[in-house]
Amino acid sequence: ACPFNYLYWDFLMRNQETLAGNQRMSMIFATLRKMKDEKKEAIQADAKRFFDRLEPSQDSWYARSRQASDKKEKKVSHG
């Protein structure tokens, strides 16, 4: 397996809302739904570590993406 698979899955998790309507992505998101929460959390943690080392600036595209994702999660959890 590619050592950067976690970046692929992290991208899909962060952009699921945008990409889920694409019929070509249905099998990929079915695989993602089958993943255990612990594995998803590990993937996100690994991706965060990678991006933090690569581009630690808080103004990076990744930081902005994570902030937007965190805001969406807070809205859903406080519903």
Side-chain angles (χ1 to χ4, degrees):
C2 174
F4 294 104
N5 278 345
Y6 61 91
L7 297 176
Y8 172 77
W9 290 111
D10 178 67
F11 174 84
L12 290 175
M13 284 185 266
R14 286 185 290 111
N15 294 284
Q16 186 169 357
E17 187 175 303
T18 302
L19 299 172
N22 184 331
Q23 199 57 21
R24 293 179 180 178
M25 302 295 289
S26 61
M27 288 181 61
I28 295 164
F29 284 117
T31 300
L32 183 61
R33 282 191 299 276
K34 291 177 187 177
M35 280 187 197
K36 293 183 179 182
D37 289 339
E38 297 82 18
K39 183 171 184 171
K40 291 179 189 178
E41 290 169 7
I43 287 168
Q44 290 173 321
D46 288 345
K48 182 177 180 343
R49 266 192 303 280
F50 175 84
F51 285 118
D52 284 348
R53 284 186 302 213
L54 180 67
E55 191 172 353
S57 168
Q58 291 301 311
D59 192 39
S60 70
W61 65 269
Y62 179 74
R64 290 190 303 272
S65 171
R66 294 301 293 175
Q67 289 168 354
S69 178
D70 291 345
K71 286 179 185 177
K72 286 180 187 176
E73 287 179 16
K74 286 180 184 176
K75 282 184 181 179
V76 170
S77 65
H78 294 293

